[in-house]
């Protein structure tokens, strides 16, 4: 019997293991921030570790001064708001309908939906379908193809199935329709899973890259991740370096790349702590049980 307040070996090992995993996950971000904020002399000599050396903002300032970064932010925020609204609306309606035992052909429809997790048409058919629908080089190409994520739909459906049936029956007695039940009872009781699925969709849209690379040709429509890819991988960051040199600042290309990557990841990371409580609760309660 373990006494209250007694520390077990399992607790110590568990803490050390989780601390190691947390450090391994945070290390890339810490290192990127250190390089981006370090003096070029230390970066060139590869002497930067977990802490900045010769602290300076030149790389971050050069990255923030690039207009393409702000175009990417603008487009990504537009896709995030529009896509999240569309995805959450369709997912809530679909999950609620599939959670009703009285739904006609509910099980066959659910099997067809689950089938899409394991099999899909592939990149070429996806491109041809989007082209035939006229979605190329439009904002809808970034929000409609991935409007419903099957996993998110199943998580929300499972959560809805776990709500007390007595509450639904009480609503029926009061004369509520299915839409009335969804609006007045189900959604107010489903805050944890809504926050969780909303975060899943937000992160998915924020990190969206392959669809933009395949479907967008207009640089003014590129999302943030594609802009960063062009600046970092393709090597279009030379303009930023020239601007920084013209202003009298010396910026190392590696510092500039890390600054761009960090600026692209930081906003979504800062949002997570505010909804962590709802995320954990919703992920557990809405876990797939069959």
């Amino acid at each position: 019997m373990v006494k209250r307040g007694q520390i077990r070996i399992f607790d110590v090992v568990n803490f050390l293991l989780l601390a190691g995993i947390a450090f391994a996950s945070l290390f890339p971000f810490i290192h990127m921030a250190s390089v981006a904020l370090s003096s070029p002399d230390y970066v060139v000599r590869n002497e930067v570790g977990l802490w900045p050396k010769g602290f300076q903002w030149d790389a971050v300032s050069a990255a923030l001064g690039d207009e393409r970064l702000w175009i990417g932010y603008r487009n990504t925020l537009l896709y995030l708001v529009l896509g999240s609204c569309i995805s959450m609306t369709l997912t809530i309606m679909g999950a609620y309908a599939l959670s009703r035992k009285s739904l006609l052909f509910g099980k066959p429809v659910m099997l067809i939906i689950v089938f899409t997790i394991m099999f899909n048409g592939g990149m070429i058919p996806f491109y041809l379908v989007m082209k035939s629908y006229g979605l190329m080089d439009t904002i809808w190409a970034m929000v409609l193809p991935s409007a419903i994520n099957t996993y998110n739909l199943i998580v929300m459906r499972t959560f809805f199935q776990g709500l007390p049936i007595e509450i639904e029956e009480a609503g029926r007695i009061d004369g509520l329709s299915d839409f009335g039940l969804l609006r007045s009872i189900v959604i107010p009781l489903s805050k944890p899973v809504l926050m969780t699925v909303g975060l899943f969709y937000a992160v998915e849209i924020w990190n969206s890259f392959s669809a933009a690379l395949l479907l967008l040709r207009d640089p003014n429509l590129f999302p943030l991740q594609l802009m960063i890819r062009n600046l970092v991988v393709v090597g279009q960051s030379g303009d930023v370096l020239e601007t920084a040199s013209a202003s009298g600042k010396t910026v190392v290309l590696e510092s500039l790349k890390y600054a761009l990557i960090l600026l692209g990841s930081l906003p979504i990371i800062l949002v997570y702590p505010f909804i962590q409580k709802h995320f954990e609760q919703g992920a557990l309660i809405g876990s797939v049980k069959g």
Side-chain angles (χ1 to χ4, degrees):
M1 180 177 180
V2 180
K3 296 181 180 179
R4 185 176 183 180
Q6 182 178 357
I7 300 178
R8 299 177 299 175
I9 297 179
F10 172 79
D11 297 329
V12 176
V13 174
N14 192 34
F15 172 79
L16 293 176
L17 180 62
L18 293 177
I21 295 175
F23 176 77
S25 302
L26 291 174
F27 175 78
F29 297 99
I30 298 174
H31 180 67
M32 282 192 299
S34 299
V35 173
L37 298 174
S38 294
S39 171
D41 298 332
Y42 295 101
V43 176
V44 171
R45 294 197 297 265
N46 197 24
E47 296 178 358
V48 181
L50 290 177
W51 304 105
K53 292 186 177 181
F55 186 89
Q56 65 177 36
W57 289 90
D58 293 349
V60 178
S61 300
L64 291 174
D66 191 347
E67 182 183 1
R68 290 169 293 183
L69 183 70
W70 297 109
I71 293 176
Y73 264 116
R74 179 200 65 192
N75 294 335
T76 296
L77 290 175
L78 173 63
Y79 302 148
L80 182 64
V81 174
L82 182 61
S84 296
C85 292
I86 294 175
S87 295
M88 288 299 294
T89 300
L90 296 178
T91 303
I92 289 172
M93 296 177 65
Y96 178 73
L98 292 170
S99 68
R100 303 299 92 186
K101 295 182 179 180
S102 58
L103 177 66
L104 188 62
F105 303 120
K107 289 186 177 181
V109 171
M110 195 63 211
L111 289 175
I112 294 174
I113 293 175
V114 173
F115 180 83
T116 62
I117 297 179
M118 299 175 286
F119 302 98
N120 60 75
M123 182 183 297
I124 302 302
F126 171 75
Y127 173 82
L128 294 176
V129 169
M130 295 302 105
K131 185 177 181 180
S132 64
Y133 285 161
L135 296 179
M136 299 290 294
D137 259 345
T138 65
I139 61 174
W140 304 110
M142 296 300 299
V143 297
L144 291 184
S146 58
I148 298 182
N149 182 285
T150 306
Y151 174 78
N152 295 339
L153 179 68
I154 294 174
V155 169
M156 192 173 292
R157 164 186 170 268
T158 305
F159 186 94
F160 289 163
Q161 286 179 331
L163 295 176
I165 191 65
E166 293 80 9
I167 299 179
E168 178 183 350
E169 293 175 351
R172 296 286 187 188
I173 294 174
D174 291 338
L176 292 177
S177 62
D178 285 319
F179 282 103
L181 287 171
L182 178 62
R183 182 182 65 253
S184 303
I185 295 178
V186 175
I187 291 180
L189 292 175
S190 305
K191 186 177 180 181
V193 75
L194 295 180
M195 296 290 286
T196 301
V197 173
L199 177 64
F200 285 159
Y201 277 125
V203 172
E204 181 181 352
I205 295 173
W206 186 272
N207 293 329
S208 179
F209 165 75
S210 57
L213 185 63
L214 192 65
L215 303 177
L216 298 182
R217 297 293 179 268
D218 185 359
N220 291 320
L221 294 176
F222 286 175
L224 179 62
Q225 303 304 326
L226 188 54
M227 285 291 190
I228 293 177
R229 177 255 184 188
N230 291 339
L231 292 171
V232 174
V233 179
V234 179
Q236 296 180 3
S237 54
D239 297 338
V240 187
L241 286 175
E242 291 177 4
T243 304
S245 300
S247 61
K249 299 177 181 179
T250 302
V251 179
V252 179
L253 183 59
E254 186 177 3
S255 297
L256 179 61
K257 289 181 177 181
Y258 283 173
L260 289 167
I261 296 172
L262 194 64
L263 290 172
S265 307
L266 199 58
I268 201 70
I269 295 175
L270 295 177
V271 172
Y272 175 74
F274 296 99
I275 58 178
Q276 180 182 4
K277 178 181 67 174
H278 302 291
F279 174 78
E280 293 174 349
Q281 185 180 358
L284 291 175
I285 297 177
S287 58
V288 180
K289 293 175 287 189

